[in-house]
Amino acid sequence: MQRSLVTGRNNKVKLLGYSWIKARESIIQHVRDGNQLITVIGRAGSGKTTLLLSLCEYVQCLYTDMAGAGDRDLSAVAASIAMDNMDKIAELQEELRREKGDLRVFSKLGAYDLVELARLKPLTFLRMLNEAASRKGWRVVME
């Protein structure tokens, strides 16, 4: 049976073999069990990115690829998450407009303000994003 592989954050991804499908199902089960930190380890070219991208078809997630980032401090990670997922964050913000407190403030931030918050106060940004994503049952996935 032939399976296609189309990579990219905005494209559909189909896995090429039984072992990848089994790995994805295992990760999905970890997510359903409430595990918040799941580590995928493998050699270069083994399919880690493809696996995680396929996961986002089954579990709503915010995905960012940190593989090419030289500076991995928390502000760089948070800013990458903000920039890579601006469209999904805007969707979350739209649904949070009726909330009170920090989530209401988060819902009113524009794209520039979100990235600045991520750079200057990464813990605050990640806390607010995690709370917003959790309300919709989404996960934050980083590689």
Side-chain angles (χ1 to χ4, degrees), residues 37-41:
L37 178 62
I38 302 166
T39 305
V40 178
I41 300 170

Side-chain angles (χ1 to χ4, degrees), residues 6 9-10 12 18 30 50 55 63 67 72 75 82 84 99 106 131-132:
V6 182
R9 232 179 58 228
N10 298 317
K12 291 199 178 248
Y18 175 75
H30 281 290
T50 303
L55 173 69
Y63 175 84
R72 293 191 180 208
S75 61
D84 288 349
E99 296 291 331
F106 183 79
E131 187 174 340

Side-chain angles (χ1 to χ4, degrees), residues 27 34 67-68 92 96 104:
I27 292 172
L92 284 172
L96 295 172
R104 183 173 176 92

Side-chain angles (χ1 to χ4, degrees), residues 86 89-115 117 128 132:
M86 199 55 70
I89 292 173
E91 183 183 329
L92 284 172
Q93 288 177 308
E94 189 62 37
E95 294 189 20
L96 295 172
R97 301 237 188 259
R98 294 179 300 277
E99 296 291 331
K100 295 180 180 177
D102 285 347
L103 286 180
R104 183 173 176 92
V105 172
F106 183 79
S107 74
K108 292 184 176 188
L109 295 175
Y112 176 81
D113 296 323
L114 282 168
V115 174
L117 177 63
M128 294 169 94

Side-chain angles (χ1 to χ4, degrees), residues 19-78:
S19 62
W20 279 3
I21 293 169
K22 188 174 177 182
R24 182 188 58 216
E25 289 171 356
S26 175
I27 292 172
I28 290 171
Q29 188 59 49
H30 281 290
V31 169
R32 288 184 181 140
D33 290 345
N35 296 320
Q36 297 207 358
L37 178 62
I38 302 166
T39 305
V40 178
I41 300 170
R43 294 182 194 156
S46 64
K48 299 177 300 293
T49 299
T50 303
L51 177 66
L52 292 173
L53 288 170
S54 75
L55 173 69
C56 290
E57 290 182 23
Y58 294 89
V59 177
Q60 284 288 353
C61 63
L62 302 171
Y63 175 84
T64 192
D65 185 352
M66 296 299 298
D71 184 8
R72 293 191 180 208
D73 66 35
L74 189 57
S75 61
V77 170

